[in-house]
Every structure is written in C-alpha cells, then in structure tokens.
Amino acid sequence: MKGLIASSLFIAMISEQKIREVITPKINEMDAFLVDIKVNTSNVISVFFDRIEGITLAHCTQLSKFFEEKFDREKEDYELTVCSAGLDTSFKVEEQYKKYIGHEVRVLLNNGRREKGIILAYDDNLILQTKKKKKGRRKEYINMEVIIPKKEIKETKLKINFK
C-alpha cells in the first residue's frame, strides 16, 4: 500500500492592514488618498489611490518604489500593482465624492432606486442636482436638488461623458 505524501507550500502574505499602516503616511505626503487595497491568496497586491488633481505615472512609480523599500520582494514573494482608482469603478471613500463635485454620477440606493445627477456637495449627505421630467409635459424638465443620506447609498459611479 502506497502512502500519499502531503506537502504544503507556505507563501508569506502581507496583510492589508500592514500595507495600509506602512503606505498611508507616504500617500498623505503625496497629497493623495488611499482608495482600496486588495491582496489575493497568490500574494498579488493591488493598491489604488488618487489625488484631487489626479494621478500621474510618476505618482504611481513613487509609491511603488516606496512600497518595495518597505517590503522585501524576495522575502515576501509578491506581485505589486499601484494605480489610480479606475473611472469605471464605484466610489469607495469619501474623498472620491469630494474630488468629483461638479461631475455627473449614477447612484444606486439600498432600496434599489437609482438617481443620476451632478454632485453639488458631500458631507452628511450627498446632494445632487438632477433633472426631473415635468408631469404631463413632453421633453420639459426641471432642475431639482436631491438629498441622499450617506447610509442610503449602496453604490456610486462616475458617469463618463464623451463629447
């Protein structure tokens, strides 16, 4: 009777919390904000950050080099991607709402209702300027402000307009 030999390969993983602790001061120094960190079981690490003025390749390179100084690639055996939060992804942090004041967004509420409008403000609530169709009138719209409490927002995405 042949026995099975079990072997296990242990990959040292860097926790999301540890990454956050190490890179947040550098991100703040760059006048930027952290949007998200993803670490999968294969030790593929993705760091998403942004700035009000936008992210350049130089910003991504600077943060990537800083990360590699703090986490030894030989010891940790990780794959790293550092980039801005994509325009097509949903907002994850409050700073994204503030960055896009004056821009059009689509909002999905917890109750399934959808709103679309231009962000006017974001503090305790999201305030949108929307266009609502006048009752009984064709192609006539009225501008309205819609106030949405933060806790009612399930997802917000930037509406990308190609002009």
Side-chain angles (χ1 to χ4, degrees):
M1 181 176 212
K2 294 185 177 180
L4 295 173
I5 300 173
S7 67
S8 65
L9 176 63
F10 176 75
I11 298 174
M13 288 185 50
I14 308 168
S15 73
E16 179 184 327
Q17 180 180 342
K18 182 66 176 169
I19 294 168
R20 186 177 303 275
E21 289 171 9
V22 170
I23 67 172
T24 296
K26 181 64 175 178
I27 288 174
N28 292 341
E29 177 187 305
M30 296 169 65
D31 200 24
F33 54 90
L34 183 61
V35 175
D36 199 10
I37 298 170
K38 293 183 180 178
V39 182
N40 75 12
T41 55
S42 299
N43 231 12
V44 176
I45 301 167
S46 299
V47 176
F48 302 92
F49 74 116
D50 209 343
R51 299 174 68 237
I52 297 298
E53 302 81 13
I55 294 292
T56 65
L57 182 58
H59 293 116
C60 294
T61 302
Q62 183 181 3
L63 186 58
S64 182
K65 286 181 179 179
F66 177 82
F67 188 99
E68 290 175 355
E69 289 171 5
K70 302 298 180 184
F71 298 102
D72 183 358
R73 192 179 289 268
E74 296 298 319
K75 178 181 171 193
E76 304 292 347
D77 190 29
Y78 61 85
E79 179 182 320
L80 176 65
T81 301
V82 174
C83 57
S84 68
L87 291 176
D88 60 341
T89 60
S90 59
F91 291 6
K92 302 227 184 296
V93 295
E94 291 187 13
E95 290 89 348
Q96 289 176 293
Y97 287 91
K98 292 176 180 175
K99 175 180 179 171
Y100 290 109
I101 288 176
H103 291 81
E104 191 172 7
V105 293
R106 292 178 306 210
V107 181
L108 174 62
L109 304 177
N110 291 328
N111 65 8
R113 198 176 94 228
R114 295 182 185 273
E115 290 287 348
K116 175 175 72 171
I118 296 171
I119 299 176
L120 297 177
Y122 185 81
D123 271 315
D124 295 332
N125 302 303
L126 171 62
I127 303 174
L128 297 179
Q129 178 183 337
T130 64
K131 288 184 180 184
K132 300 288 182 184
K133 189 175 176 184
K134 280 187 175 181
K135 289 187 179 182
R137 307 235 176 177
R138 288 187 173 192
K139 305 231 180 196
E140 278 195 60
Y141 294 89
I142 186 168
N143 287 330
M144 298 180 61
E145 284 187 13
V146 174
I147 300 171
I148 305 169
K150 286 187 215 182
K151 64 183 180 190
E152 291 183 20
I153 299 171
K154 182 173 186 177
E155 177 182 85
T156 302
K157 287 187 174 186
L158 186 64
K159 186 171 185 297
I160 302 169
N161 296 315
F162 297 99
K163 293 182 180 184

